[in-house]
């Protein structure tokens, strides 16, 4: 089957991959970049477990063709830790708030929360719930996930104000 | 320092927020072959013939296996501990692939190919000739005289029928002045919806078949695979890494037996058998749909004189956990209100529907809905207070169940009920809301439950644990019990640290189970692990502690009985002065020139007791009658699960269970085409799993009792939070509108029918 070279930025590094033109971005990133935080729960964009950031916006990478990634800036959960392994505030908040249970949906939720916690304006709990409603979790009832996102966005806004 | 009862952060949380936690699909070796199953396109009949000629032409096909090729062995799949008594063994009613088609999408053939696309293409090109019968989708049709037998071993399609009677029902109802209350209640087929689909990969190594699988029950899956293939238990090795949820679906052998067989067909090369989401819905297990007919005879003072129940459980195509579910349900009917005469008749019935199996709380959400709806129906008909009716008739401390001997060793149910009443001002609001008119009305509702802890006395469950000292004074802990998201590894680490006298960071939990290495345990189900496996951890920790102290005594030339371990140091009993660190003991024990020894401990525990946990759900909601919609305004679950080991993870279990209960009560049900028996909403778009925006703020609280039989005073918690939510919602709708709706989910279509019939719209 036809192959094509795709050059994109993955977690801050420019990379070129030779991809099957039928391949999804999630398959490319799991298969060739070893980014196993990307999970497959449905393969058709229903569950959100494969969420990654593409040019800053969350996408279901299972229904995003690998060939569309040409020139894009992609961030996965692995890209949130620094090079020495220190984790980001939102990852720490998921630990602290008990937002993690089986953990299979966790990478997708953390990635879906990045635009919320990066926003200048504070989102209400209702708005947080709306923005993460493309991601499914069967373990937590979402309560502690919303808590983790809410606390992180409040902390970030307070930090910006104090500067 | 007490570690038990704190909110220690999960020991696996860091790996899970960084993507380091490995699940089955993350461990597939490169160049593994891919298997796909051909599922039947009829629900009832026989496969007569295959034409494989076109399928074999697909490039990359390595093997094609049909129902005519597999071993002629029928095996059971249920994740029960095996019974050596043939009468109590699970029903062996399926082969790896089946010529007798018993449900739509039954497994009839499989393709192994070099890649997924080739496997899928080849499956599509297999031509099948069937002999087709009319699908039997309802229990009524299945039990009709002359209905086709779905399994020849059970000609009338009744898998099992059971009865019990406590006292004399017929005598008891002769009493003067009784009010008779009758109700019929119905619960739907729903799906577990763990986010990681059912999947495994299998290969052969060292003469064994190795299956790496997303399972709750590795040791049981090993037994089932050995039975299915006719091999010895030791010929199979199951490895269980992290799993993306199970909720009872993975308390069954799913993809593993067929996958174990497929690798033997291709010379032991690795074969991946990963179900799609659609296959996970249609071809694994579901929650049993049940129907109940309840009759109650109530005295003027509210006490129950006599009750009877008839229960029907739709098993679907294969037995799986079979009658155990509805048996649990009718036992729950008795245990919750163990007063007066009680009579039960229960049926489990084969149909051509998707196979039902274990799902969180194992038949109790079904009976919980029926029974707690019924108690509010009694309250409505008699004018008695729903809280008083419950507290008057419910199980009390010291109750010994006459049929199972399970004893109520501790109960905080009364306090749960009182605390919920105070939280919601239930009684006051219930009276106030009963008088409403207009299109939008508020209501309050509540429901209670009791739930066993583990499965004793049905099985003498065995759990084992191993602890191995490292030279730095830390230890590896291996448990046969499995982490499936509920937080088992974390509470086991807390138990070990507390009992030995170490800090939790010294406990390295080996999360992965490998049946070649890991001590035996039956797995994660029945909310048994903190209770049954927790006792194995405690016993092992005590043994390990004794060995550490013996060596410390040798080093210090003191009697070990005068020594203690506190926060990683050896101290004199009742004193805090550090004599040695555990690390000193550890390194000396390994490298001593006079007395080197490897300190390790392994103990197993079999559970010869059981105990009940309890709880309530209270909710306040708003019903938009013309729009046929319910909005939850407030909801709280209050649980007596004994002593809470970890408050944060316990609260998380309650949230998740409440969410599943809300879905059960308001949204979720699997739909089937009545003509073909095909599942219609086998995906996460059409199956209404709750999203964050559908979920109200969830409140959880605990009434902590100290159960004398639990290793740390603890009782079951994992499953129970799901139980009381749906009936509490139903009872709140009754309070708001006066309409008693006896089936769930309470989705708009059902509310429309009910409100139309009640002439509210």
């Amino acid at each position: 089957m036809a192959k094509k070279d795709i050059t994109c930025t993955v977690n801050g590094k420019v990379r070129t991959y030779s991809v099957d033109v039928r391949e999804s971005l999630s398959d490319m990133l799991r298969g060739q970049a070893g980014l196993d935080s990307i999970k497959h729960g449905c393969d058709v964009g229903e569950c959100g477990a494969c969420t990654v950031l593409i040019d800053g916006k969350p996408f279901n990478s299972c229904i995003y063709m690998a060939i569309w990634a040409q020139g894009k800036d992609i961030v996965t959960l692995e890209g949130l830790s620094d090079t020495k392994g220190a984790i980001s505030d939102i990852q720490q908040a998921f630990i602290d708030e008990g937002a993690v249970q089986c953990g299979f949906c966790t990478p997708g939720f953390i990635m879906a929360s990045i635009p919320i916690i990066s926003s200048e304006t504070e989102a209400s709990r209702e708005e947080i719930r709306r923005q993460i409603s493309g991601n499914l979790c069967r373990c937590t009832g979402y309560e502690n996930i919303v808590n983790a996102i809410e606390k992180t966005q409040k902390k970030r806004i307070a930090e910006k104000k104090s500067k | 320092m007490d570690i038990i009862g704190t909110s220690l952060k999960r020991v696996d949380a860091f790996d899970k927020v960084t993507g380091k936690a490995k699940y089955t699909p993350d461990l597939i070796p490169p160049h593994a072959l891919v298997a796909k199953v051909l599922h039947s396109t009829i629900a009832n009949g026989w496969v007569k013939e295959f034409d494989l000629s076109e399928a074999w032409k697909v490039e990359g096909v390595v093997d094609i296996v049909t129902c005519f090729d597999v071993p002629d062995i029928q095996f059971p799949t249920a994740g029960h501990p095996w019974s050596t008594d043939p009468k109590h063994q699970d029903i062996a009613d399926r082969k790896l692939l089946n010529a007798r088609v018993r449900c739509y999408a039954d497994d009839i053939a499989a393709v192994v190919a070099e890649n997924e696309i080739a496997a899928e293409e080849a499956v599509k090109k297999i031509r099948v000739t069937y002999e087709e019968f009319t699908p039997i989708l309802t229990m009524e049709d299945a039990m009709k005289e002359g209905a086709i037998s779905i399994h020849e071993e059970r000609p009338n399609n009744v898998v099992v029928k059971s009865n019990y009677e406590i006292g004399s029902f017929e005598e008891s109802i002769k009493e003067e002045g009784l009010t008779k209350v009758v109700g019929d209640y119905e619960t739907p087929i729903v799906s577990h919806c763990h986010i990681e689909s059912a999947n495994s990969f299998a290969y052969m190594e060292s003469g064994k078949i190795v299956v790496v699988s997303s399972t709750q029950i590795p040791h049981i899956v090993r037994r089932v695979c050995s039975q299915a293939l006719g091999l010895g238990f030791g010929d199979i090795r199951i490895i269980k890494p992290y799993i993306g949820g199970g909720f009872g679906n993975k308390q069954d052998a799913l993809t593993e037996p067929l996958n174990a067989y497929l690798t033997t067909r291709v010379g032991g090369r690795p074969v991946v058998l990963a179900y799609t989401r659609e296959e996970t819905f249609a071809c694994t297990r579901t929650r049993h749909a049940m129907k109940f007919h309840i009759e109650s005879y109530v005295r003027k003072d509210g006490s129950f004189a006599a009750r009877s129940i008839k229960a029907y459980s739709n098993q679907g195509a294969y037995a799986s956990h079979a009658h155990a579910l509805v048996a649990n349900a009718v036992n729950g009917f008795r245990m919750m209100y163990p007063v007066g005469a009680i009579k039960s008749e229960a049926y489990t019935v084969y149909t051509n529907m998707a196979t039902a199996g274990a799902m969180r709380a194992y038949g109790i959400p079904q009976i919980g809905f029926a029974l707690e709806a019924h108690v509010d129906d009694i309250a409505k008909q008699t004018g008695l207070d729903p809280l008083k009716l419950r507290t008057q008739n419910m199980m009390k401390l010291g109750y010994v169940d006459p049929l199972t001997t399970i004893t109520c060793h501790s109960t905080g149910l009364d306090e749960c009920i009182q605390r919920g009443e105070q939280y919601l001002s239930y009684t006051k609001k219930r009276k106030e809301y009963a008088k409403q008119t207009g299109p939008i009305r508020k209501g309050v509702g509540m429901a209670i439950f009791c739930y066993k802890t583990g499965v004793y006395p049905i099985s003498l469950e065995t759990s084992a644990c191993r602890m191995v000292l490292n030279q730095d004074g830390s230890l590896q802990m291996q448990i046969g019990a499995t982490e499936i998201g509920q937080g088992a590894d974390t509470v086991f680490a807390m138990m070990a640290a507390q009992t030995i006298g170490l800090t939790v960071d010294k406990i390295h939990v080996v999360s992965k189970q490998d049946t070649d290495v890991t001590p035996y345990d039956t797995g994660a189900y029945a909310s048994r692990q903190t209770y049954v496996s927790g006792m194995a951890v405690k016993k092992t920790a005590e043994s390990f502690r004794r060995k550490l102290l013996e060596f410390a005594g040798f080093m210090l030339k003191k009697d070990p009985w005068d020594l203690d371990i506190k926060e990683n140091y050896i101290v004199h009993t009742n004193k805090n002065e550090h004599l040695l660190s555990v690390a000193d003991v550890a390194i000396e024990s390994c490298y001593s020139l006079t007395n080197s020894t490897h300190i390790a401990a392994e103990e197993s525990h079999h559970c010869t007791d059981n105990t009940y946990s309890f709880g309530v759900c209270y909710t306040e909601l708003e019903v938009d009658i013309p729009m046929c919609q319910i909005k939850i305004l407030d909801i709280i679950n209050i649980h007596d699960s004994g002593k809470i080991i970890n408050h944060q993870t316990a609260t998380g279990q309650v949230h998740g269970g409440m969410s599943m209960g809300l879905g059960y009560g308001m949204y979720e049900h699997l739909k089937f085409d009545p003509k073909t028996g095909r599942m219609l909403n086998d995906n996460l778009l059409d199956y209404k799993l709750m999203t964050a925006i559908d979920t109200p703020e969830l409140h959880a609280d605990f009434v902590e009792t100290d159960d004398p039989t639990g290793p740390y005073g603890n009782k079951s918690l994992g499953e129970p939070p799901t139980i009381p939510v749906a009936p509490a919602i139903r009872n709140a709708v009754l309070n708001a509108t006066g309409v008693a709706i006896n089936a769930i989910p309470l989705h708009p279509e059902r509310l429309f029918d009910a409100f139309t019939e009640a002439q509210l719209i």
Side-chain angles (χ1 to χ4, degrees), chain B residues 165 261 427 529 629 677 716 727 734:
Chain B
E165 186 164 1
Y261 175 66
T427 304
Q529 293 199 155
Q629 280 188 335
S716 57
L734 172 63

Side-chain angles (χ1 to χ4, degrees), chain A residues 39 96 102 125 142-143, chain B residues 23 26 192 648 690 697:
Chain A
K39 302 299 181 204
D96 293 343
C102 85
R125 284 178 75 82
Y142 305 103
E143 188 72 24
Chain B
Y23 300 75
D26 305 328
H192 311 74
Q648 187 177 63
M690 290 177 74
E697 297 292 334

Side-chain angles (χ1 to χ4, degrees), chain B residues 89-308:
Chain B
Q89 286 170 358
D90 291 312
I91 296 166
D93 68 349
R94 71 161 84 201
K95 296 180 193 171
L96 292 170
L97 298 163
N98 294 283
R100 175 68 175 93
V101 174
R102 298 181 175 102
C103 59
Y104 198 96
D106 209 343
D107 305 345
I108 57 173
V111 172
V112 181
E114 297 287 350
N115 59 65
E116 190 176 351
I117 292 171
E120 274 174 3
E121 279 302 302
V123 160
K124 278 184 206 153
K125 290 190 167 160
I126 298 176
R127 294 284 162 260
V128 191
T129 310
Y130 297 104
E131 178 188 356
E132 192 173 352
F133 311 138
T134 306
I136 303 170
L137 302 181
T138 67
M139 294 187 276
E140 291 80 0
D141 284 347
M143 289 195 290
K144 260 185 201 152
E145 192 72 29
I148 288 174
S149 305
I150 295 169
H151 293 263
E152 61 183 17
E153 298 87 345
R154 290 192 168 51
N156 60 356
N157 291 322
V158 174
V159 186
V160 180
K161 179 196 172 196
S162 64
N163 300 289
Y164 71 75
E165 186 164 1
I166 307 295
S168 169
F169 181 80
E170 293 307 325
E171 284 303 310
S172 300
I173 62 172
K174 289 177 185 162
E175 191 179 317
E176 290 286 312
L178 299 179
T179 302
K180 181 182 179 183
V181 182
V182 181
D184 288 282
Y185 307 90
E186 204 173 329
T187 63
I189 304 182
V190 297
S191 178
H192 311 74
C193 294
H194 35 75
I195 305 299
E196 183 194 10
S197 295
N199 76 102
S200 62
F201 63 90
Y203 57 95
M204 293 182 73
E205 190 178 85
S206 308
K208 288 184 177 202
I209 300 169
V210 186
V211 187
V212 181
S213 178
S214 181
T215 180
Q216 300 172 220
I217 47 164
H219 277 98
I220 290 177
V221 167
R222 176 167 75 154
R223 184 257 300 165
V224 174
C225 287
S226 79
Q227 290 172 328
L229 274 65
L231 298 171
F233 285 28
D235 296 325
I236 310 282
R237 177 180 171 197
I238 306 291
I239 296 172
K240 178 250 158 218
Y242 281 119
I243 90 168
F247 309 109
N249 201 20
K250 296 171 186 171
Q251 191 206 339
D252 223 297
L254 301 174
T255 61
E256 302 92 346
L258 178 61
N259 207 2
Y261 175 66
L262 292 176
T263 188
T264 67
R265 300 260 314 191
V266 294
R269 288 176 68 185
V271 178
V272 176
L273 180 54
Y275 272 2
T276 61
R277 176 55 57 183
E278 290 76 8
E279 288 175 299
T280 301
F281 267 105
C283 312
T284 59
R285 306 290 177 265
T286 61
R287 190 190 282 287
H288 290 77
M290 291 191 194
K291 289 185 177 183
F292 303 98
H293 176 79
I294 302 177
E295 296 186 4
S296 293
Y297 290 82
V298 184
R299 298 188 185 94
K300 287 199 171 58
D301 68 355
S303 61
F304 296 165
R307 297 186 298 137
S308 76

